[in-house]
Amino acid sequence: MPESEYETTAQKKPLGIRFLEWLKKGTLSYKTYQVIVLIVTFLAYAAYHAARKTTSIVKSALDPASSKLGSTAKLWEIKKPITLPWTLGDGWAPFDGANGTGLLGEVDLAFLAVYAMGMYFSGHLGDRMNLRIFLTIGMVGTGVFTSLFGAGYWADIHNFYYFLAVQMLAGLFQSTGWPSVVAVVGNWCGKKKRGLIMGIWNAHTSIGNISGSLIAAAMLSYGWGWSFVVPGFVIAFVGLLVFLFLPVNPSSVGADRVEEDESSSPKKSNGEEVGLTEPLLSSSFKGKQEAVGFIEAWKIPGVAPFALCLFFSKLVAYTFLYWLPFYISHTAIDGKYLSSGTAGNLSTLFDVGGVVGGILAGHISDRLNARAITAAGFMYCAIPALYFYRSYGNVSLTMNIVLMLITGMFVNGPYALITTAVSADLGTHSSLKGNSRALATVTAIIDGTGSVGAAIGPLLTGYISATSWSAVFTMLMGAAFVAGLLLTKLVIAEVGAKIAESSRSQGSPSQSSHPVAELDV
């Protein structure tokens, strides 16, 4: 790189990167940049989910009236008197009335509907803007409006439309997160073991849910407003870290991709790299790249079926995300009801199972070289898991924990796989001919479509649960079945490819590729 060009690039580096290079007294290696990217994006999306999770924890505190607690009200008592105008168990108007669960469902719908619509626009903007700036704005905005929801506690606000509007704006800023972090990781990481690596990295979703649950539950006894304000400040702070330390792509910091890849990449006889280790977003495409259009991205083979599958997959996952603590606190386990804080802490085990499921799904899909088979298999296994959790989760606390872990594993496994490795596969599909400016758009289409389902599930649950939780679980089992069914064509294609591959006992090895990403369907 010419000296003048190097100086220009150095001036464009994030301030935090320049500080690290000043400490090191030299430039950072490519692998160091990769580690920084994985850590920063992990923290960023964990913070997004921590801020998103708070509503589910506070639900049972805002609307305790519908609980069949009876004589177990002592579980809600606080030993230390609080002088604030609200104590745990009082509820909060307008959510403490007979239609409280319905109103809470509408708030969830408002958030997730705007989140889903915003996702499509965020992907479009993300492929055309500096992702570091775009992500920072989204995180700070999310922090502001998450905190404003909690501010209703101190301001003594009881207007439903205030909470509705604040959640809608929070959803809009939340939509900037996923397309941005996936696109940045895609710019830095190669294809080898993509499913396993992204499965581990995708643990940020569950870690965010767990930390958000623990923070919100811990803050409840001080006033439910703190359960929103603290996560709001956390995500704003992490947004500052993103601004200071996140390198969007190798060219933005003058990192030499070729030298780093050559040290660990096997070579062909002609000196070219083997396809498995080529960069996820190939840098071999020359000339100016135009961002892929919305309709063009939908036409990429595999995008539509996986997007529709994620619609039903997220419907199931987000129903648990928003309603599991409420369900636990309103269900007698071994004849006893748990407090809101205890239910919130217990619900984190669902996300622990989700971490295992995401890693397992990624690893299996890498070993089988079959994304659709893995995703569909997990969705079908989620059906009996949901049935057993509803039927036997109330027998004892131990049984509830075991079944919750298993359910979380099968529900979150395909959700994690589709939103990470599959999105990366499709965002770098061979039909794009090396164009690297499609990943955020494809990711936004898949996750945005999934987020529509994520909005519908919690809304329906808010109304159906008032009549029967068994009906809610029937809905979830039906959604899991349809999610698996939507991948049937891709599953058949992958099975056919496997049969054809096994029938070739000898011959020249062909370059491996993921059937899901390359087959025209």
Side-chain angles (χ1 to χ4, degrees), residues 316-350:
V316 179
Y318 268 65
T319 297
F320 274 89
L321 175 69
Y322 280 93
W323 286 100
L324 182 57
F326 187 90
Y327 170 74
I328 293 173
S329 66
H330 289 66
T331 301
I333 300 176
D334 194 18
K336 300 176 183 178
Y337 288 94
L338 303 178
S339 66
S340 294
T342 303
N345 291 333
L346 182 62
S347 71
T348 61
L349 295 176
F350 179 84

Side-chain angles (χ1 to χ4, degrees), residues 251-298:
S251 62
S252 68
V253 289
D256 193 340
R257 184 198 300 269
V258 177
E259 288 184 3
E260 292 295 331
D261 287 348
E262 285 178 352
S263 64
S264 58
S265 299
K267 300 289 183 177
K268 293 180 181 178
S269 57
N270 61 358
E272 295 177 356
E273 289 186 9
V274 174
L276 277 176
T277 55
E278 66 185 17
L280 189 152
L281 295 180
S282 175
S283 58
S284 61
F285 182 81
K286 301 298 181 183
K288 185 178 179 180
Q289 298 181 1
E290 297 293 334
V292 173
F294 183 78
I295 302 300
E296 184 182 353
W298 265 106

Side-chain angles (χ1 to χ4, degrees), residues 132-425:
R132 179 170 61 92
I133 304 299
F134 188 59
L135 193 54
T136 301
I137 293 172
M139 296 184 75
V140 172
T142 298
V144 169
F145 287 102
T146 299
S147 299
L148 284 176
F149 192 102
Y153 167 68
W154 292 283
D156 200 26
I157 296 174
H158 298 276
N159 188 317
F160 171 71
Y161 294 102
Y162 168 82
F163 297 107
L164 192 72
V166 168
Q167 278 294 81
M168 291 174 69
L169 290 169
L172 181 63
F173 281 98
Q174 279 259 0
S175 68
T176 61
W178 190 240
S180 301
V181 296
V182 172
V184 172
V185 171
N187 288 337
W188 283 96
C189 294
K191 289 183 178 179
K192 190 175 183 181
K193 296 184 179 179
R194 180 187 298 167
L196 176 60
I197 292 172
M198 287 194 133
I200 297 172
W201 173 75
N202 193 65
H204 53 48
T205 299
S206 296
I207 296 300
N209 290 339
I210 292 170
S211 59
S213 298
L214 295 176
I215 292 172
M219 293 294 105
L220 266 180
S221 61
Y222 300 100
W224 64 261
W226 287 110
S227 296
F228 288 91
V229 171
V230 174
F233 276 106
V234 169
I235 191 172
F237 174 76
V238 178
L240 177 62
L241 295 181
V242 167
F243 179 77
L244 292 174
F245 290 98
L246 184 64
V248 174
N249 52 50
S251 62
S252 68
V253 289
D256 193 340
R257 184 198 300 269
V258 177
E259 288 184 3
E260 292 295 331
D261 287 348
E262 285 178 352
S263 64
S264 58
S265 299
K267 300 289 183 177
K268 293 180 181 178
S269 57
N270 61 358
E272 295 177 356
E273 289 186 9
V274 174
L276 277 176
T277 55
E278 66 185 17
L280 189 152
L281 295 180
S282 175
S283 58
S284 61
F285 182 81
K286 301 298 181 183
K288 185 178 179 180
Q289 298 181 1
E290 297 293 334
V292 173
F294 183 78
I295 302 300
E296 184 182 353
W298 265 106
K299 293 179 180 178
I300 296 172
V303 167
F306 270 112
L308 294 174
C309 172
L310 191 63
F311 174 96
F312 291 97
S313 177
K314 287 192 75 169
L315 185 154
V316 179
Y318 268 65
T319 297
F320 274 89
L321 175 69
Y322 280 93
W323 286 100
L324 182 57
F326 187 90
Y327 170 74
I328 293 173
S329 66
H330 289 66
T331 301
I333 300 176
D334 194 18
K336 300 176 183 178
Y337 288 94
L338 303 178
S339 66
S340 294
T342 303
N345 291 333
L346 182 62
S347 71
T348 61
L349 295 176
F350 179 84
D351 292 293
V352 173
V355 173
V356 177
I359 296 172
L360 191 60
H363 178 64
I364 291 173
S365 70
D366 280 341
R367 293 293 299 269
L368 296 179
N369 201 18
R371 308 289 195 213
I373 292 174
T374 305
F378 268 70
M379 289 312 308
Y380 290 136
C381 289
I383 297 172
L386 288 164
Y387 173 79
F388 285 117
Y389 181 69
R390 171 57 183 167
S391 301
Y392 302 103
N394 63 340
V395 172
S396 68
L397 188 60
T398 301
M399 182 69 74
N400 189 285
I401 290 172
V402 171
L403 293 175
M404 189 190 304
L405 287 168
I406 294 173
T407 304
M409 181 178 70
F410 286 119
V411 168
N412 283 346
Y415 161 38
L417 179 66
I418 294 172
T419 54
T420 54
V422 169
S423 295
D425 287 344

Side-chain angles (χ1 to χ4, degrees), residues 32-42 184-185 188 246-247:
T32 301
Y33 278 121
Q34 286 181 314
V35 171
I36 292 173
V37 166
L38 290 173
I39 291 175
V40 172
T41 53
F42 185 98
V184 172
V185 171
W188 283 96
L246 184 64

